[in-house]
Amino acid sequence: MAFDGVITKSIVTELNNTIINGKINKVFEPNKNEIILGIYSNGKNYALNIVISANNYRLNLTNNSKPNPSTAPNFCMLLRKHLIGAKIKNISMNGLERIITICFQCYNELNDLTEKNLIIELMGKHSNIILTNESNTIIDSLRHLDTSTGSIRDIMPARKYILPETTKLDIYSISSFDEFYNYTKSIDTLNTGISNLFNGLSKSFIDCAISILQIDNTVNLDNLQKIYNYILKVLNNIPKSENLCVKF
C-alpha cells in the first residue's frame, strides 16, 4: 500500500493516541533526509521517525536505533534548541493532504509559554520538515526552497509558511454520492481517475478497494456507488483531526 493520505491519517490517529502530552527529550538527524524525535509519554520512551527521502518518505514510531554523526547538523541543533522539553499538544492533518502538523507547547527565551509547530510535508521529492513559530513564520527547515531558483514556494527562515497549492479535491468536502458521481462519472477508469481527482486517495488504495469489493475497474453507477461507500467506511473509522494549531 502506498503511503497516501489514508495511511497518513491512520498514523496521525495512532500518534494522537500514543504521544500526546509527551515531552521531547532527544533530537537526532542520522542523515540529510531523516529526523528522529525522542519522546517521553505516559511513562514510556518513544522514537518518532520522520523521513523525507523522495522514494521512502514516511512518519512512524520505531524501536530501531541508528548511528548518528559525531557533530550534529545545524537543523538538528536548532530543533534541540527549540523543542527539547517541549510538550506535544496536538498532531493534525489538513484533510487527506500528506502534511502533518505537530503542535508543541514550550517556553521561549523570556520564559513565556508559547507554541512551535513542526510541519512535515510528505510529498515525494518535495518533502520537507519545517519549524514555525506561533505566528506561522518559518524558523528554519531541513530543506530551503526559493522561488528565485524555480520553487513554487519560499521555504526560508523568516518567511510566512503557506500550504502548497493543489488542484485536487478534498474528499471530506463531498457531501453526498450525487456530488461524488458528478465529479467521477466521466473518468476513464476507477483507480487512475479517482486518484487523480482526490487528494490522499492513491491508485493502490483504489486497487485494494476494487479487489475487496470484487468489482472491475469499469466506471459505472454501481461501481462508483460501491467505491464511494467503501471510502466513507474507511474514513469514518479514522477520527478527523481538529483544532489545528496553525492558521492558514
Side-chain angles (χ1 to χ4, degrees):
M1 181 70 72
F3 203 107
D4 59 11
V6 177
I7 296 297
T8 308
K9 179 70 79 174
S10 299
I11 290 172
V12 166
T13 299
E14 176 194 2
L15 296 178
N16 271 298
N17 291 330
T18 307
I19 59 174
I20 290 299
N21 293 320
K23 287 192 174 182
I24 305 298
N25 54 22
K26 296 177 182 178
V27 180
F28 299 111
E29 187 178 332
N31 57 67
K32 65 179 182 179
N33 292 317
E34 190 168 3
I35 293 292
I36 297 177
L37 300 180
I39 303 162
Y40 184 77
S41 178
N42 296 317
K44 296 181 180 180
N45 287 304
Y46 297 90
L48 181 61
N49 192 37
I50 307 167
V51 181
I52 61 169
S53 169
N55 298 319
N56 197 24
Y57 52 86
R58 63 191 187 277
L59 177 73
N60 64 283
L61 294 174
T62 180
N63 293 319
N64 298 327
S65 59
K66 297 186 178 182
N68 291 285
S70 55
T71 301
N74 289 339
F75 187 63
C76 179
M77 293 296 291
L78 179 130
L79 291 182
R80 289 176 179 176
K81 173 185 174 182
H82 288 274
L83 298 184
I84 293 292
K87 180 185 290 188
I88 299 173
K89 298 303 295 180
N90 188 40
I91 306 171
S92 58
M93 286 176 63
N94 185 39
L96 286 183
E97 286 271 20
R98 290 170 300 181
I99 300 175
I100 304 102
T101 300
I102 305 178
C103 299
F104 298 92
Q105 190 177 70
C106 51
Y107 290 91
N108 62 18
E109 294 83 355
L110 301 176
N111 209 35
D112 295 323
L113 195 62
T114 186
E115 287 182 349
K116 300 280 171 49
N117 310 293
L118 195 66
I119 302 169
I120 302 156
E121 299 183 343
L122 301 176
M123 303 185 302
K125 66 180 181 179
H126 302 292
S127 298
N128 209 343
I129 304 172
I130 304 159
L131 183 69
T132 68
N133 63 19
E134 58 187 357
S135 300
N136 207 28
T137 300
I138 297 171
I139 299 172
D140 208 348
S141 59
L142 190 51
R143 294 176 180 169
H144 290 173
L145 303 174
D146 194 332
T147 52
S148 65
T149 60
S151 172
I152 60 174
R153 294 181 298 157
D154 284 330
I155 303 295
M156 301 286 287
R159 309 285 178 85
K160 281 289 184 181
Y161 174 77
I162 58 173
L163 284 167
E165 293 183 358
T166 180
T167 58
K168 291 189 176 184
L169 300 168
D170 179 3
I171 190 65
Y172 284 116
S173 70
I174 304 301
S175 59
S176 66
F177 171 69
D178 287 342
E179 186 177 357
F180 179 81
Y181 180 73
N182 286 334
Y183 284 117
T184 56
K185 62 184 178 182
S186 299
I187 60 178
D188 294 327
T189 58
L190 293 175
N191 55 7
T192 301
I194 292 174
S195 64
N196 285 341
L197 271 174
F198 292 96
N199 270 323
L201 301 179
S202 66
K203 183 179 177 181
S204 62
F205 172 77
I206 302 301
D207 282 334
C208 181
I210 289 171
S211 176
I212 290 171
L213 296 169
Q214 297 183 337
I215 61 176
D216 59 25
N217 202 22
T218 305
V219 178
N220 57 51
L221 180 63
D222 186 55
N223 283 352
L224 286 171
Q225 180 74 71
K226 289 177 179 177
I227 285 285
Y228 177 72
N229 291 340
Y230 178 83
I231 293 170
L232 288 187
K233 180 180 178 181
V234 171
L235 295 182
N236 286 338
N237 285 326
I238 307 173
K240 292 178 67 175
S241 298
E242 299 176 342
N243 300 321
L244 292 177
C245 290
V246 181
K247 309 276 192 302
F248 299 111

